[in-house]
Amino acid sequence: MTRGGAQKQADGPERMCLVTRDSGPKDGLIRFVTGPDGQVVPDLLGKLPGRGYYVSARRSVLEEAVKKRVFARGAKGPVTVPEGLVDEIDRQLARRVTDLIAMARKAGLAIAGFEKVKAALTNDRVKVLLQASDGSARGKGKLWTPEGARWFGCLTADELGLAFGRSHVIHGALLAGGLTTRVVEEAAKLRGLREEYAQNGASGAGKDT
C-alpha cells in the first residue's frame, strides 16, 4: 500500500515519486539520471546508465520537483536542473508518441481521417481513438470511444499529422497490436503533462481531417 493509502498495483516494478512519496508502476513515472556534468537528465526510454530516480508524469508534480529542488535527494548529491526541463520532457514525450504512432501506421495498425476512423469504429476494430487537441469540438463529437478502448486528445493536429505523414490530422485510430500498447503507455504520460487538453471534446479551431 502506498503512503497515501492507495492499494499498490500487483503487476510490474514499482518506484517512489520524489515529490508525492507515493509508489506506483514505472509506466506512470518519469525516470531521471545524473549526467557526467552533474545535470539532471530525463530518461524516457529507461535505458541510460546510472542511479535512477523518479517523479510522477504530471506537469504539476514535475514543476514542484524543480521548484523544491528534490532531484538532489534522488541523486544523493548536488545536481543542476536545466532551464525548461518540464517543457523539454513534454517535447520529448510528444516526439516519442508520434514516432510510435508512425511505426504503428507502417505496421498497418494506425489509420487517419474522419471517414476511415468512423468505419473502423463501426466495425469494432478501434482500440485507441486519437483526436487533435486543437480540432473542433463539433467534429470530434461525431465520433465515439468504443467500450474498453482508450481516448487520447493530447496531441495537436500538427503533431498527429507528423505521425501520419500529413500536414495535419484531427482524427486517428489505432487497432489492436503490441505497438498500440506502447502508444497507450507513452500517451498516458504525455496527457499528464498536458492536462488542459485531456478532456474529450476540448474546444478549438481546426478543419476535420
Side-chain angles (χ1 to χ4, degrees), residues 140-167:
K140 291 191 291 185
K142 295 178 181 178
L143 298 179
W144 62 94
T145 305
E147 183 176 356
R150 301 291 297 273
W151 178 88
F152 288 104
C154 50
L155 291 171
T156 66
D158 287 345
E159 288 169 336
L160 274 177
L162 181 65
F164 284 98
R166 303 183 184 183
S167 59

PDB file of all heavy atoms in Angstrom, residues 140-167:
ATOM      1  N   LYS A 140     -15.190  16.503 -33.509  1.00  0.00           N
ATOM      2  CA  LYS A 140     -14.736  15.403 -32.667  1.00  0.00           C
ATOM      3  C   LYS A 140     -15.904  14.713 -31.971  1.00  0.00           C
ATOM      4  O   LYS A 140     -15.857  13.512 -31.695  1.00  0.00           O
ATOM      5  CB  LYS A 140     -13.725  15.916 -31.650  1.00  0.00           C
ATOM      6  CG  LYS A 140     -12.405  16.342 -32.278  1.00  0.00           C
ATOM      7  CD  LYS A 140     -11.317  16.585 -31.248  1.00  0.00           C
ATOM      8  CE  LYS A 140     -11.574  17.789 -30.405  1.00  0.00           C
ATOM      9  NZ  LYS A 140     -10.442  18.070 -29.474  1.00  0.00           N
ATOM     10  N   GLY A 141     -16.969  15.485 -31.705  1.00  0.00           N
ATOM     11  CA  GLY A 141     -18.121  14.914 -31.020  1.00  0.00           C
ATOM     12  C   GLY A 141     -18.913  13.937 -31.870  1.00  0.00           C
ATOM     13  O   GLY A 141     -19.778  13.221 -31.350  1.00  0.00           O
ATOM     14  N   LYS A 142     -18.630  13.877 -33.166  1.00  0.00           N
ATOM     15  CA  LYS A 142     -19.340  12.957 -34.053  1.00  0.00           C
ATOM     16  C   LYS A 142     -18.777  11.529 -33.979  1.00  0.00           C
ATOM     17  O   LYS A 142     -19.378  10.606 -34.527  1.00  0.00           O
ATOM     18  CB  LYS A 142     -19.273  13.463 -35.495  1.00  0.00           C
ATOM     19  CG  LYS A 142     -20.010  14.785 -35.713  1.00  0.00           C
ATOM     20  CD  LYS A 142     -19.867  15.268 -37.144  1.00  0.00           C
ATOM     21  CE  LYS A 142     -20.591  16.601 -37.359  1.00  0.00           C
ATOM     22  NZ  LYS A 142     -20.424  17.107 -38.749  1.00  0.00           N
ATOM     23  N   LEU A 143     -17.624  11.382 -33.334  1.00  0.00           N
ATOM     24  CA  LEU A 143     -17.045  10.054 -33.162  1.00  0.00           C
ATOM     25  C   LEU A 143     -17.143   9.662 -31.692  1.00  0.00           C
ATOM     26  O   LEU A 143     -17.426  10.476 -30.831  1.00  0.00           O
ATOM     27  CB  LEU A 143     -15.578  10.051 -33.628  1.00  0.00           C
ATOM     28  CG  LEU A 143     -15.360  10.383 -35.110  1.00  0.00           C
ATOM     29  CD1 LEU A 143     -13.868  10.369 -35.442  1.00  0.00           C
ATOM     30  CD2 LEU A 143     -16.110   9.415 -36.000  1.00  0.00           C
ATOM     31  N   TRP A 144     -16.903   8.411 -31.412  1.00  0.00           N
ATOM     32  CA  TRP A 144     -17.106   7.904 -30.057  1.00  0.00           C
ATOM     33  C   TRP A 144     -15.974   6.957 -29.686  1.00  0.00           C
ATOM     34  O   TRP A 144     -15.300   6.390 -30.541  1.00  0.00           O
ATOM     35  CB  TRP A 144     -18.450   7.174 -29.970  1.00  0.00           C
ATOM     36  CG  TRP A 144     -18.521   5.974 -30.882  1.00  0.00           C
ATOM     37  CD1 TRP A 144     -18.240   4.670 -30.570  1.00  0.00           C
ATOM     38  CD2 TRP A 144     -18.866   5.969 -32.285  1.00  0.00           C
ATOM     39  NE1 TRP A 144     -18.403   3.859 -31.669  1.00  0.00           N
ATOM     40  CE2 TRP A 144     -18.782   4.623 -32.729  1.00  0.00           C
ATOM     41  CE3 TRP A 144     -19.248   6.971 -33.185  1.00  0.00           C
ATOM     42  CZ2 TRP A 144     -19.062   4.279 -34.043  1.00  0.00           C
ATOM     43  CZ3 TRP A 144     -19.522   6.619 -34.498  1.00  0.00           C
ATOM     44  CH2 TRP A 144     -19.426   5.274 -34.911  1.00  0.00           C
ATOM     45  N   THR A 145     -15.772   6.794 -28.387  1.00  0.00           N
ATOM     46  CA  THR A 145     -14.775   5.857 -27.891  1.00  0.00           C
ATOM     47  C   THR A 145     -15.454   4.530 -27.576  1.00  0.00           C
ATOM     48  O   THR A 145     -16.354   4.480 -26.737  1.00  0.00           O
ATOM     49  CB  THR A 145     -14.097   6.379 -26.612  1.00  0.00           C
ATOM     50  OG1 THR A 145     -13.560   7.681 -26.868  1.00  0.00           O
ATOM     51  CG2 THR A 145     -12.980   5.449 -26.177  1.00  0.00           C
ATOM     52  N   PRO A 146     -15.080   3.450 -28.253  1.00  0.00           N
ATOM     53  CA  PRO A 146     -15.724   2.154 -28.013  1.00  0.00           C
ATOM     54  C   PRO A 146     -15.519   1.678 -26.576  1.00  0.00           C
ATOM     55  O   PRO A 146     -14.543   2.047 -25.916  1.00  0.00           O
ATOM     56  CB  PRO A 146     -15.011   1.219 -28.994  1.00  0.00           C
ATOM     57  CG  PRO A 146     -14.382   2.117 -30.012  1.00  0.00           C
ATOM     58  CD  PRO A 146     -14.042   3.369 -29.288  1.00  0.00           C
ATOM     59  N   GLU A 147     -16.417   0.867 -26.128  1.00  0.00           N
ATOM     60  CA  GLU A 147     -16.292   0.283 -24.790  1.00  0.00           C
ATOM     61  C   GLU A 147     -15.006  -0.532 -24.698  1.00  0.00           C
ATOM     62  O   GLU A 147     -14.712  -1.354 -25.561  1.00  0.00           O
ATOM     63  CB  GLU A 147     -17.497  -0.608 -24.486  1.00  0.00           C
ATOM     64  CG  GLU A 147     -17.488  -1.193 -23.077  1.00  0.00           C
ATOM     65  CD  GLU A 147     -18.737  -2.004 -22.769  1.00  0.00           C
ATOM     66  OE1 GLU A 147     -19.644  -2.051 -23.634  1.00  0.00           O
ATOM     67  OE2 GLU A 147     -18.788  -2.593 -21.685  1.00  0.00           O
ATOM     68  N   GLY A 148     -14.225  -0.286 -23.671  1.00  0.00           N
ATOM     69  CA  GLY A 148     -12.966  -0.999 -23.487  1.00  0.00           C
ATOM     70  C   GLY A 148     -11.793  -0.399 -24.231  1.00  0.00           C
ATOM     71  O   GLY A 148     -10.659  -0.869 -24.084  1.00  0.00           O
ATOM     72  N   ALA A 149     -12.039   0.643 -25.036  1.00  0.00           N
ATOM     73  CA  ALA A 149     -10.966   1.300 -25.782  1.00  0.00           C
ATOM     74  C   ALA A 149     -10.480   2.531 -25.013  1.00  0.00           C
ATOM     75  O   ALA A 149     -11.042   2.896 -23.985  1.00  0.00           O
ATOM     76  CB  ALA A 149     -11.447   1.697 -27.171  1.00  0.00           C
ATOM     77  N   ARG A 150      -9.435   3.173 -25.509  1.00  0.00           N
ATOM     78  CA  ARG A 150      -8.879   4.366 -24.887  1.00  0.00           C
ATOM     79  C   ARG A 150      -9.050   5.557 -25.802  1.00  0.00           C
ATOM     80  O   ARG A 150      -9.145   5.416 -27.023  1.00  0.00           O
ATOM     81  CB  ARG A 150      -7.384   4.161 -24.590  1.00  0.00           C
ATOM     82  CG  ARG A 150      -7.071   2.997 -23.663  1.00  0.00           C
ATOM     83  CD  ARG A 150      -7.540   3.238 -22.250  1.00  0.00           C
ATOM     84  NE  ARG A 150      -6.858   4.365 -21.645  1.00  0.00           N
ATOM     85  CZ  ARG A 150      -5.694   4.286 -20.996  1.00  0.00           C
ATOM     86  NH1 ARG A 150      -5.092   3.110 -20.872  1.00  0.00           N
ATOM     87  NH2 ARG A 150      -5.131   5.357 -20.462  1.00  0.00           N
ATOM     88  N   TRP A 151      -9.082   6.757 -25.206  1.00  0.00           N
ATOM     89  CA  TRP A 151      -9.149   8.010 -25.960  1.00  0.00           C
ATOM     90  C   TRP A 151      -8.020   8.924 -25.519  1.00  0.00           C
ATOM     91  O   TRP A 151      -7.758   9.068 -24.328  1.00  0.00           O
ATOM     92  CB  TRP A 151     -10.481   8.714 -25.710  1.00  0.00           C
ATOM     93  CG  TRP A 151     -10.599  10.036 -26.432  1.00  0.00           C
ATOM     94  CD1 TRP A 151     -11.056  10.248 -27.697  1.00  0.00           C
ATOM     95  CD2 TRP A 151     -10.247  11.339 -25.930  1.00  0.00           C
ATOM     96  NE1 TRP A 151     -11.001  11.576 -28.007  1.00  0.00           N
ATOM     97  CE2 TRP A 151     -10.508  12.272 -26.948  1.00  0.00           C
ATOM     98  CE3 TRP A 151      -9.719  11.788 -24.714  1.00  0.00           C
ATOM     99  CZ2 TRP A 151     -10.276  13.644 -26.796  1.00  0.00           C
ATOM    100  CZ3 TRP A 151      -9.475  13.155 -24.553  1.00  0.00           C
ATOM    101  CH2 TRP A 151      -9.767  14.063 -25.582  1.00  0.00           C
ATOM    102  N   PHE A 152      -7.328   9.506 -26.507  1.00  0.00           N
ATOM    103  CA  PHE A 152      -6.284  10.472 -26.198  1.00  0.00           C
ATOM    104  C   PHE A 152      -6.465  11.713 -27.063  1.00  0.00           C
ATOM    105  O   PHE A 152      -6.627  11.623 -28.282  1.00  0.00           O
ATOM    106  CB  PHE A 152      -4.894   9.889 -26.434  1.00  0.00           C
ATOM    107  CG  PHE A 152      -4.500   8.857 -25.413  1.00  0.00           C
ATOM    108  CD1 PHE A 152      -4.530   7.515 -25.726  1.00  0.00           C
ATOM    109  CD2 PHE A 152      -4.120   9.243 -24.135  1.00  0.00           C
ATOM    110  CE1 PHE A 152      -4.181   6.562 -24.782  1.00  0.00           C
ATOM    111  CE2 PHE A 152      -3.771   8.297 -23.183  1.00  0.00           C
ATOM    112  CZ  PHE A 152      -3.806   6.963 -23.498  1.00  0.00           C
ATOM    113  N   GLY A 153      -6.446  12.860 -26.412  1.00  0.00           N
ATOM    114  CA  GLY A 153      -6.559  14.125 -27.124  1.00  0.00           C
ATOM    115  C   GLY A 153      -5.440  15.065 -26.757  1.00  0.00           C
ATOM    116  O   GLY A 153      -5.633  16.275 -26.691  1.00  0.00           O
ATOM    117  N   CYS A 154      -4.269  14.525 -26.509  1.00  0.00           N
ATOM    118  CA  CYS A 154      -3.155  15.337 -26.014  1.00  0.00           C
ATOM    119  C   CYS A 154      -2.187  15.780 -27.100  1.00  0.00           C
ATOM    120  O   CYS A 154      -1.257  16.543 -26.820  1.00  0.00           O
ATOM    121  CB  CYS A 154      -2.398  14.589 -24.915  1.00  0.00           C
ATOM    122  SG  CYS A 154      -1.921  12.901 -25.338  1.00  0.00           S
ATOM    123  N   LEU A 155      -2.372  15.323 -28.332  1.00  0.00           N
ATOM    124  CA  LEU A 155      -1.525  15.761 -29.432  1.00  0.00           C
ATOM    125  C   LEU A 155      -2.247  16.816 -30.257  1.00  0.00           C
ATOM    126  O   LEU A 155      -3.467  16.772 -30.419  1.00  0.00           O
ATOM    127  CB  LEU A 155      -1.153  14.581 -30.335  1.00  0.00           C
ATOM    128  CG  LEU A 155      -0.210  13.529 -29.758  1.00  0.00           C
ATOM    129  CD1 LEU A 155      -0.126  12.336 -30.705  1.00  0.00           C
ATOM    130  CD2 LEU A 155       1.176  14.102 -29.510  1.00  0.00           C
ATOM    131  N   THR A 156      -1.499  17.759 -30.799  1.00  0.00           N
ATOM    132  CA  THR A 156      -2.085  18.765 -31.679  1.00  0.00           C
ATOM    133  C   THR A 156      -2.290  18.171 -33.066  1.00  0.00           C
ATOM    134  O   THR A 156      -1.776  17.091 -33.389  1.00  0.00           O
ATOM    135  CB  THR A 156      -1.175  19.996 -31.791  1.00  0.00           C
ATOM    136  OG1 THR A 156       0.039  19.618 -32.460  1.00  0.00           O
ATOM    137  CG2 THR A 156      -0.852  20.569 -30.411  1.00  0.00           C
ATOM    138  N   ALA A 157      -3.016  18.900 -33.907  1.00  0.00           N
ATOM    139  CA  ALA A 157      -3.247  18.445 -35.284  1.00  0.00           C
ATOM    140  C   ALA A 157      -1.929  18.332 -36.046  1.00  0.00           C
ATOM    141  O   ALA A 157      -1.745  17.426 -36.860  1.00  0.00           O
ATOM    142  CB  ALA A 157      -4.201  19.402 -35.995  1.00  0.00           C
ATOM    143  N   ASP A 158      -1.013  19.253 -35.790  1.00  0.00           N
ATOM    144  CA  ASP A 158       0.294  19.190 -36.458  1.00  0.00           C
ATOM    145  C   ASP A 158       1.088  17.972 -35.999  1.00  0.00           C
ATOM    146  O   ASP A 158       1.768  17.317 -36.800  1.00  0.00           O
ATOM    147  CB  ASP A 158       1.089  20.463 -36.180  1.00  0.00           C
ATOM    148  CG  ASP A 158       0.559  21.671 -36.937  1.00  0.00           C
ATOM    149  OD1 ASP A 158      -0.237  21.484 -37.880  1.00  0.00           O
ATOM    150  OD2 ASP A 158       0.933  22.799 -36.577  1.00  0.00           O
ATOM    151  N   GLU A 159       1.020  17.665 -34.708  1.00  0.00           N
ATOM    152  CA  GLU A 159       1.750  16.511 -34.181  1.00  0.00           C
ATOM    153  C   GLU A 159       1.171  15.209 -34.706  1.00  0.00           C
ATOM    154  O   GLU A 159       1.917  14.297 -35.086  1.00  0.00           O
ATOM    155  CB  GLU A 159       1.735  16.541 -32.653  1.00  0.00           C
ATOM    156  CG  GLU A 159       2.624  17.643 -32.076  1.00  0.00           C
ATOM    157  CD  GLU A 159       2.422  17.856 -30.589  1.00  0.00           C
ATOM    158  OE1 GLU A 159       1.329  17.521 -30.066  1.00  0.00           O
ATOM    159  OE2 GLU A 159       3.337  18.383 -29.937  1.00  0.00           O
ATOM    160  N   LEU A 160      -0.168  15.107 -34.734  1.00  0.00           N
ATOM    161  CA  LEU A 160      -0.783  13.919 -35.322  1.00  0.00           C
ATOM    162  C   LEU A 160      -0.460  13.821 -36.808  1.00  0.00           C
ATOM    163  O   LEU A 160      -0.243  12.734 -37.343  1.00  0.00           O
ATOM    164  CB  LEU A 160      -2.298  13.943 -35.121  1.00  0.00           C
ATOM    165  CG  LEU A 160      -2.842  13.379 -33.814  1.00  0.00           C
ATOM    166  CD1 LEU A 160      -4.360  13.552 -33.747  1.00  0.00           C
ATOM    167  CD2 LEU A 160      -2.480  11.913 -33.639  1.00  0.00           C
ATOM    168  N   GLY A 161      -0.422  14.973 -37.471  1.00  0.00           N
ATOM    169  CA  GLY A 161      -0.056  14.980 -38.887  1.00  0.00           C
ATOM    170  C   GLY A 161       1.341  14.443 -39.106  1.00  0.00           C
ATOM    171  O   GLY A 161       1.595  13.683 -40.051  1.00  0.00           O
ATOM    172  N   LEU A 162       2.262  14.822 -38.229  1.00  0.00           N
ATOM    173  CA  LEU A 162       3.634  14.315 -38.312  1.00  0.00           C
ATOM    174  C   LEU A 162       3.656  12.797 -38.206  1.00  0.00           C
ATOM    175  O   LEU A 162       4.380  12.112 -38.931  1.00  0.00           O
ATOM    176  CB  LEU A 162       4.476  14.932 -37.194  1.00  0.00           C
ATOM    177  CG  LEU A 162       5.949  14.529 -37.127  1.00  0.00           C
ATOM    178  CD1 LEU A 162       6.693  15.029 -38.359  1.00  0.00           C
ATOM    179  CD2 LEU A 162       6.588  15.093 -35.857  1.00  0.00           C
ATOM    180  N   ALA A 163       2.827  12.252 -37.314  1.00  0.00           N
ATOM    181  CA  ALA A 163       2.781  10.803 -37.121  1.00  0.00           C
ATOM    182  C   ALA A 163       2.248  10.084 -38.359  1.00  0.00           C
ATOM    183  O   ALA A 163       2.670   8.966 -38.669  1.00  0.00           O
ATOM    184  CB  ALA A 163       1.918  10.464 -35.907  1.00  0.00           C
ATOM    185  N   PHE A 164       1.314  10.736 -39.060  1.00  0.00           N
ATOM    186  CA  PHE A 164       0.678  10.096 -40.213  1.00  0.00           C
ATOM    187  C   PHE A 164       1.240  10.578 -41.555  1.00  0.00           C
ATOM    188  O   PHE A 164       0.712  10.238 -42.608  1.00  0.00           O
ATOM    189  CB  PHE A 164      -0.837  10.340 -40.182  1.00  0.00           C
ATOM    190  CG  PHE A 164      -1.554   9.488 -39.170  1.00  0.00           C
ATOM    191  CD1 PHE A 164      -1.882   9.993 -37.921  1.00  0.00           C
ATOM    192  CD2 PHE A 164      -1.900   8.179 -39.462  1.00  0.00           C
ATOM    193  CE1 PHE A 164      -2.549   9.213 -36.982  1.00  0.00           C
ATOM    194  CE2 PHE A 164      -2.565   7.387 -38.539  1.00  0.00           C
ATOM    195  CZ  PHE A 164      -2.884   7.916 -37.290  1.00  0.00           C
ATOM    196  N   GLY A 165       2.297  11.374 -41.522  1.00  0.00           N
ATOM    197  CA  GLY A 165       2.909  11.840 -42.754  1.00  0.00           C
ATOM    198  C   GLY A 165       2.065  12.834 -43.518  1.00  0.00           C
ATOM    199  O   GLY A 165       2.113  12.888 -44.744  1.00  0.00           O
ATOM    200  N   ARG A 166       1.295  13.643 -42.782  1.00  0.00           N
ATOM    201  CA  ARG A 166       0.450  14.670 -43.394  1.00  0.00           C
ATOM    202  C   ARG A 166       0.732  16.011 -42.745  1.00  0.00           C
ATOM    203  O   ARG A 166       1.430  16.095 -41.734  1.00  0.00           O
ATOM    204  CB  ARG A 166      -1.035  14.319 -43.224  1.00  0.00           C
ATOM    205  CG  ARG A 166      -1.427  12.956 -43.789  1.00  0.00           C
ATOM    206  CD  ARG A 166      -2.929  12.744 -43.635  1.00  0.00           C
ATOM    207  NE  ARG A 166      -3.346  11.424 -44.064  1.00  0.00           N
ATOM    208  CZ  ARG A 166      -4.612  11.012 -44.077  1.00  0.00           C
ATOM    209  NH1 ARG A 166      -5.582  11.833 -43.664  1.00  0.00           N
ATOM    210  NH2 ARG A 166      -4.928   9.790 -44.488  1.00  0.00           N
ATOM    211  N   SER A 167       0.147  17.078 -43.322  1.00  0.00           N
ATOM    212  CA  SER A 167       0.348  18.395 -42.733  1.00  0.00           C
ATOM    213  C   SER A 167      -0.362  18.509 -41.395  1.00  0.00           C
ATOM    214  O   SER A 167       0.163  19.115 -40.448  1.00  0.00           O
ATOM    215  CB  SER A 167      -0.153  19.487 -43.685  1.00  0.00           C
ATOM    216  OG  SER A 167      -1.544  19.313 -43.964  1.00  0.00           O
TER     217      SER A 167
END
